[in-house]
Amino acid sequence: MAYSEKVIDHYNNPKNVGTLDKAKTNVGTGLVGAPECGDVMRLQIEVDEESGIISDAKFKTFGCGSAIASSSLATEWLKGKTVDQALAIDNMDIVEELNLPPVKIHCSVLAEDAIKAAINDYRVKNGLPELEATSHH
Amino acid sequence: MDLKLPIYLDNNATTPMDPRVLEAMMPYFVEKFGNAASRNHAFGWVAEEAVDYAREQVAKLINADPKEIIFTSGATEGDNLGIKGVFEMYASKGNHIITCTTEHKAVLDTCHHLEKLGANVTYLPVQSDGLVDLGQLEAAITDKTILIAIMYGNNEVGVIQPVREISAIARKHGVLFFTDATQAVGKIPVDVLADGIDLMTFSGHKIYGPKGVGALYVRRKNPRVKVTAQMDGGGHERGMRSGTLNVPGIVGLGKACELCMHEMEAEGKRLSVLRDKLENALLQIEEAYVNGNREHRLPHTCNISFKYVEGEGLMMGFNKNIALSSGSACTSASLEPSYVLKALGLGDDLAHSSLRFGLGRFTTEDQIDYTVKAITDTVNKLREMSPLWEMYKEGIDLDSIAWAHH
C-alpha cells in the first residue's frame, strides 16, 4: 500500500516529538491505544494560563506511519488554539488532510482520542469537570 | 558501494526466477506448444517428453520415483488435494486429522473446511520455539486418525519440524503423514524415503522457478497411498489431477529442481553465513529478540522482534529500498498480528514488532550490510518517537498500565 506524500513527510520529519513535564498543572497528557493493538499515542499540551491558548504540544507514538503522521499533524494543529477550539478537531479533518485510506481511519480516531484525553487531563488538574467521552468505538 | 536498490529480502514470499529456468522454459510457449496428452502426433510427443524429463528432475531432488509426482498449480493446490484427497479416500478408516497451529492457511483452512464435512481435526499447539511436542502428537492419535499434516519448515520463522520423528510416530500407528515442504524443498535436503513422508506438497516459485506450478508427492509403495481427485476431467496425472498439463511451467519447475539439486548445499551454507551475520548484527540492538528455534531452522530465514517499535512503521523507514515482511498486520482488516508468532506465545506487542527476513540465491553481502544499517537507524529513530520505549527506559512496567483496548 502506498502512503500519501503528506504521511511520508510527517514520518520523515515528524513535528513536535518529545515530552512535556506532566507534573505541571498547565500540562495535560493523553495516553491512548494499547501495545497489543499496535498503536499507542501519547499527546501532551501545555496551556498558557493567562490566555488559555495551547502554547506547546508534543507527541510520542508507537505505531505505523499513519499513526505517527496523525499525531504529528495533531500537535501542529493544537499549537495556537484555545482548549475549546482544540476540542473541535475532528478525526475526519485528519483523514482529509493526510489522505488516509479507509484501513487507516483508526489512526485518526486515535489522534482525536489523544487530544480529548490530554484536554481532560488538563481539565481535571485544574478543577474542571471531565468531559463526556465521545468515543468512536 | 555499487548497490542496486531496492533490495529484495522477501524470498519466503516468492523468489525471482533464475534466468536458467526461463531459458529452459522458452521453447515451450511458441515453438513446442503441444498438449502433453496428445498421443498421436509429434507436437504431443515433444511436450510429453519434456514433462517426463521434468518429472524425473523433480523426483530426483526429493529422492522419489517419477511416478510419484503429481503436477499441480502450486503448494496450495497440493495442500488441498493431499489433505482433502486423503480424507475422502480413507473415509472408511476414520475421520481424524492432526495438524498444528503454525501451518500455512492453505492447510488450516482446508482442515476447517473438512470439519464442516464431518472431519475431526486436532490443532496441536507448538512450543515457544515453534516445534511440535512429539509426546503431544502421539497422544493425540486415536483409532480414527487417518492423517498427520505437519509442515517441514515454517514460512514465517523458518523452524524445521522433526519430520523423521513425526513420520516414525505416524508409521507406528498406521497413520499417513503429509507435509507442506514449500519452504524446505530446494533449500535443505528433503528425502521422502529417509524422512518417511507419504504425501508432500511444494511449489516452483519458492525455488527460483515459475509461479503457477507445483508438485504433490504421493507415495506408491510401503504403503501405496491414494488420493481422491478434487477436480474432475480428463484423468491426467494418473487420475489424481485432471487438467491440461502446464508444460512450460512444469519444464521450469523441473529445471529449478535440477539447479537446487546441484547448488543447494553450497547455497545453504552461503546463506546461513549471511543470515547469521544479519541476525547477529541486528541483535546488537537493545531489546531485539529472535523468534523461533535458531538451531532447527531453514538457512535463509530469520524473524526478529524489535521491542517498542511497530513493524509496519518500522518498514516505512526503508521500504523504498528494502523489501521485507512484518508480523504486524496493521493494514489488514482484522488488525490481528501474525497467528504464527502468537502460536509461539509472543504477546501481540512483540508480534506487531517483528520483521521477517528471507534471503535468497541472489542476496549479496553488500545488501546485508546496507540492511543492517538501515534497520538499526530506523529502530533508533522510531524509539526516540516511541512512548513505550520512554516508559521502558524509565523502568515503568508496561503491563501495569490499564491500556484502553479497542
Side-chain angles (χ1 to χ4, degrees):
Chain A
M1 184 194 57
Y3 290 97
S4 74
E5 267 175 46
K6 282 176 179 167
V7 169
I8 293 169
D9 186 52
H10 275 286
Y11 177 89
N12 288 332
N13 306 293
K15 312 295 187 299
N16 310 308
V17 174
T19 308
L20 299 172
D21 181 2
K22 64 173 175 235
K24 285 164 81 172
T25 52
N26 67 331
V27 168
T29 301
L31 181 66
V32 297
E36 292 77 18
C37 304
D39 292 296
V40 176
M41 276 182 200
R42 190 193 61 199
L43 203 143
Q44 294 181 296
I45 52 169
E46 181 161 355
V47 182
D48 180 78
E49 277 157 303
E50 300 225 331
S51 63
I53 285 173
I54 296 170
S55 55
D56 202 1
K58 297 278 186 206
F59 84 94
K60 281 200 176 184
T61 290
F62 162 86
C64 66
S66 300
I68 290 169
S70 295
S71 35
S72 170
L73 177 67
T75 56
E76 274 198 308
W77 280 355
L78 285 169
K79 286 206 264 186
K81 282 193 167 62
T82 65
V83 172
D84 283 348
Q85 287 168 339
L87 275 175
I89 295 174
D90 186 82
N91 81 290
M92 288 314 288
D93 300 338
I94 296 172
V95 170
E96 221 165 276
E97 174 67 19
L98 295 176
N99 292 320
L100 295 182
V103 293
K104 294 297 183 185
I105 288 177
H106 72 278
C107 298
S108 69
V109 172
L110 207 59
E112 187 189 320
D113 288 352
I115 293 172
K116 301 237 153 58
I119 290 172
N120 260 330
D121 182 54
Y122 168 77
R123 287 177 65 93
V124 169
K125 273 180 170 176
N126 289 276
L128 296 163
E130 208 169 328
L131 296 165
E132 290 271 320
T134 53
S135 181
H136 294 252
H137 321 301
Chain B
M1 191 159 61
D2 184 25
L3 190 64
K4 195 170 154 262
L5 298 174
I7 294 166
Y8 189 71
L9 285 179
D10 203 11
N11 285 280
N12 290 26
T14 192
T15 52
M17 209 158 73
D18 192 302
R20 295 169 290 181
V21 171
L22 178 62
E23 198 185 327
M25 291 169 69
M26 283 305 278
Y28 294 92
F29 287 102
V30 175
E31 187 192 335
K32 303 177 181 179
F33 61 86
N35 185 330
S38 296
R39 290 273 158 78
N40 301 309
H41 54 66
F43 295 90
W45 301 332
V46 167
E48 191 187 19
E49 199 179 311
V51 168
D52 286 346
Y53 186 64
R55 208 183 293 280
E56 282 173 28
Q57 289 170 310
V58 173
K60 205 169 173 192
L61 177 64
I62 59 170
N63 196 25
D65 185 283
K67 292 194 193 75
E68 298 175 312
I69 303 299
I70 308 294
F71 288 116
T72 64
S73 63
T76 291
E77 189 192 334
D79 284 321
N80 276 267
L81 177 54
I83 298 170
K84 290 176 181 169
V86 163
F87 178 72
E88 258 189 78
M89 182 61 72
Y90 295 87
S92 61
K93 192 179 167 245
N95 68 339
H96 181 226
I97 297 170
I98 300 170
T99 185
C100 82
T101 50
T102 54
E103 291 292 312
H104 193 272
K105 285 284 181 194
V107 169
L108 294 176
D109 284 353
T110 295
C111 288
H112 291 146
H113 177 85
L114 290 179
E115 281 182 290
K116 288 184 209 144
L117 301 178
N120 180 6
V121 182
T122 300
Y123 300 91
L124 288 177
V126 294
Q127 303 170 88
S128 62
D129 62 358
L131 294 173
V132 295
D133 180 319
L134 295 169
Q136 261 183 7
L137 172 72
E138 186 158 17
I141 296 173
T142 71
D143 57 356
K144 292 280 179 217
T145 307
I146 51 172
L147 184 70
I148 294 172
I150 302 283
M151 70 197 335
Y152 211 115
N154 184 269
N155 47 313
E156 288 196 37
V157 290
V159 164
I160 299 170
Q161 297 293 352
V163 167
R164 289 186 186 188
E165 287 81 354
I166 294 170
S167 71
I169 291 170
R171 196 59 51 99
K172 183 173 141 196
H173 293 272
V175 173
L176 294 177
F177 174 45
F178 169 92
T179 189
D180 180 333
T182 309
Q183 300 289 346
V185 164
K187 312 290 169 62
I188 57 172
V190 171
D191 179 327
V192 291
L193 292 184
D195 293 342
I197 295 163
D198 295 315
L199 301 110
M200 179 172 85
T201 183
F202 56 101
S203 75
H205 76 103
K206 309 280 198 213
I207 55 172
Y208 313 96
K211 292 171 181 62
V213 66
L216 178 68
Y217 160 81
V218 183
R219 182 183 280 271
R220 262 168 71 90
K221 53 182 183 199
N222 308 319
R224 181 182 179 88
V225 179
K226 282 173 150 179
V227 294
T228 304
Q230 299 298 304
M231 263 197 298
D232 297 311
H236 306 76
E237 300 296 271
R238 294 189 293 121
M240 287 192 254
R241 202 275 188 180
S242 286
T244 299
L245 292 180
N246 167 11
V247 178
I250 288 167
V251 167
L253 176 65
K255 183 68 184 179
C257 286
E258 184 193 295
L259 294 174
C260 287
M261 179 89 198
H262 295 131
E263 298 176 12
M264 177 169 69
E265 195 185 342
E267 192 166 283
K269 278 184 190 150
R270 186 181 78 88
L271 291 182
S272 72
V273 168
L274 284 185
R275 189 269 315 272
D276 292 346
K277 180 178 184 185
L278 173 77
E279 187 164 275
N280 291 330
L282 290 176
L283 288 177
Q284 298 302 309
I285 299 173
E286 222 180 317
E287 293 295 306
Y289 301 95
V290 174
N291 298 315
N293 191 298
R294 293 175 72 179
E295 188 190 339
H296 301 287
R297 190 163 52 152
L298 298 168
H300 61 288
T301 305
C302 77
N303 189 307
I304 304 182
S305 286
F306 301 93
K307 239 178 151 179
Y308 314 115
V309 293
E310 193 274 333
E312 195 197 334
L314 181 55
M315 285 203 294
M316 193 175 162
F318 46 76
N319 64 4
K320 244 173 51 193
N321 297 328
I322 307 171
L324 282 178
S325 275
S326 170
S328 165
C330 198
T331 47
S332 77
S334 68
L335 302 179
E336 281 290 311
S338 153
Y339 68 91
V340 170
L341 296 179
K342 289 180 74 172
L344 266 61
L346 266 74
D348 282 10
D349 52 340
L350 272 172
H352 275 297
S353 301
S354 71
L355 293 181
R356 177 186 74 177
F357 302 86
L359 283 61
R361 184 171 291 168
F362 306 105
T363 304
T364 65
E365 187 158 15
D366 281 354
Q367 293 178 335
I368 294 299
D369 293 340
Y370 179 94
T371 301
V372 167
K373 183 168 185 333
I375 289 175
T376 306
D377 289 351
T378 311
V379 169
N380 290 336
K381 177 187 153 174
L382 289 188
R383 280 183 175 168
E384 284 305 306
M385 243 190 264
S386 165
L388 304 181
W389 179 249
E390 186 183 300
M391 291 176 198
Y392 163 70
K393 281 287 165 185
E394 286 171 355
I396 296 169
D397 176 11
L398 293 177
D399 294 332
S400 71
I401 294 171
W403 299 104
H405 290 264
H406 291 242

